[in-house]
């Protein structure tokens, strides 16, 4: 265990959330003063609106610029992601990107990267990595997700969550090879 995360994507932009989480951070620190404490922030409470991040030692954020917002517009997504991360970096705390990714149907290709294609997933990851590499406060990244997985049926999920860099049966998508190149340096 390197740090304690006391919540994943909770409401964090309200006074009630601030009042609720303040004592939880205190309890976590009292129980283990040797490790940092944080929580995972969701896009609905970006920098300037989140009222809980003030208690965290490490900023952990899930962001999907280029997928849930600025879909298919990676140039605009890059500008928006960088602006938000630079604002968070101004807090003087390390940042871990705990989720980022784009749904991809395995085997779907396009002449140019369009949402749901393997090319788009690779381009999306490359855009995120450029931004992360420009901001010294970003000390970690965790792509969402290792492999596709089942979800409840709905119009946003075609046969489950497809953000995996591997299919459900563990066949690599193009993104797996792009990540291997990045992580091997």
């Amino acid at each position: 265990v390197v740090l304690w995360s006391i919540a994943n994507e909770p409401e964090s932009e309200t006074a009630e959330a601030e009042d609720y989480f303040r004592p939880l951070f205190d309890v976590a620190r009292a129980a283990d003063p040797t490790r940092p404490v944080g929580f995972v922030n969701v896009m609905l409470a970006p920098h300037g609106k989140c009222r809980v991040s003030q208690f965290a030692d490490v900023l952990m954020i899930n962001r999907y610029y280029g997928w849930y917002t600025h879909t298919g517009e990676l140039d605009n997504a890059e500008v928006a992601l960088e602006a938000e991360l630079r604002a968070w970096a101004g807090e003087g705390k390390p940042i871990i990107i705990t989720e980022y990714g784009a749904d991809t149907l395995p085997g779907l290709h396009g002449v140019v990267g369009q949402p749901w294609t393997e090319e788009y997933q690779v381009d999306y990851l490359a855009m995120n990595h450029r931004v992360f590499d420009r901001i010294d406060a970003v000390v970690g990244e965790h792509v969402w997700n290792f492999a596709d997985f089942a979800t409840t049926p709905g119009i946003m999920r075609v046969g489950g969550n497809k953000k995996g860099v591997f299919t459900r049966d563990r066949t690599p998508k193009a993104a797996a090879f792009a990540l291997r190149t990045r992580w091997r340096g």
Side-chain angles (χ1 to χ4, degrees):
V1 175
V2 295
L3 64 90
W4 297 112
S5 177
I6 61 174
N8 182 53
E9 297 189 343
E11 173 185 302
S12 65
E13 71 280 4
T14 63
E16 293 82 7
E18 185 176 348
D19 292 342
Y20 177 81
F21 281 104
R22 180 184 290 112
L24 294 181
F25 278 87
D26 293 340
V27 167
R29 286 192 178 93
D32 182 358
T34 68
R35 291 181 177 88
V37 182
F39 82 105
V40 179
N41 170 281
V42 67
M43 277 187 92
L44 299 174
H47 184 267
K49 292 191 178 184
C50 180
R51 296 176 64 149
V52 175
S53 60
Q54 64 182 312
F55 308 125
D57 301 309
V58 176
L59 301 170
M60 297 181 287
I61 62 175
N62 294 348
R63 289 299 182 270
Y64 291 91
Y65 288 99
W67 189 249
Y68 294 125
T69 180
H70 302 89
T71 310
E73 302 172 4
L74 292 179
D75 290 342
N76 293 331
E78 186 166 353
V79 170
L81 175 60
E82 184 164 353
E84 186 181 359
L85 290 181
R86 288 200 181 280
W88 282 114
E91 301 288 319
K93 299 177 183 183
I95 300 169
I96 300 172
I97 309 301
T98 42
E99 283 185 25
Y100 66 107
D103 282 280
T104 304
L105 290 176
L108 181 63
H109 296 282
V111 175
V112 296
Q114 297 177 10
W116 295 94
T117 64
E118 290 196 44
E119 291 79 11
Y120 187 80
Q121 187 180 36
V122 169
D123 293 344
Y124 170 94
L125 293 174
M127 177 276 291
N128 277 268
H129 298 155
R130 284 192 303 274
V131 173
F132 302 163
D133 292 348
R134 289 194 295 259
I135 300 173
D136 291 339
V138 175
V139 298
E141 61 194 56
H142 178 267
V143 69
W144 187 261
N145 193 35
F146 168 75
D148 296 343
F149 58 93
T151 60
T152 57
I155 60 169
M156 289 191 53
R157 301 279 186 246
V158 180
N161 189 302
K162 300 288 192 224
K163 288 184 188 71
V165 298
F166 290 85
T167 65
R168 277 188 81 184
D169 65 0
R170 307 310 192 250
T171 301
K173 297 178 188 176
F177 299 100
L179 287 170
R180 180 173 61 182
T181 298
R182 175 173 176 77
W183 292 338
R184 283 188 172 173

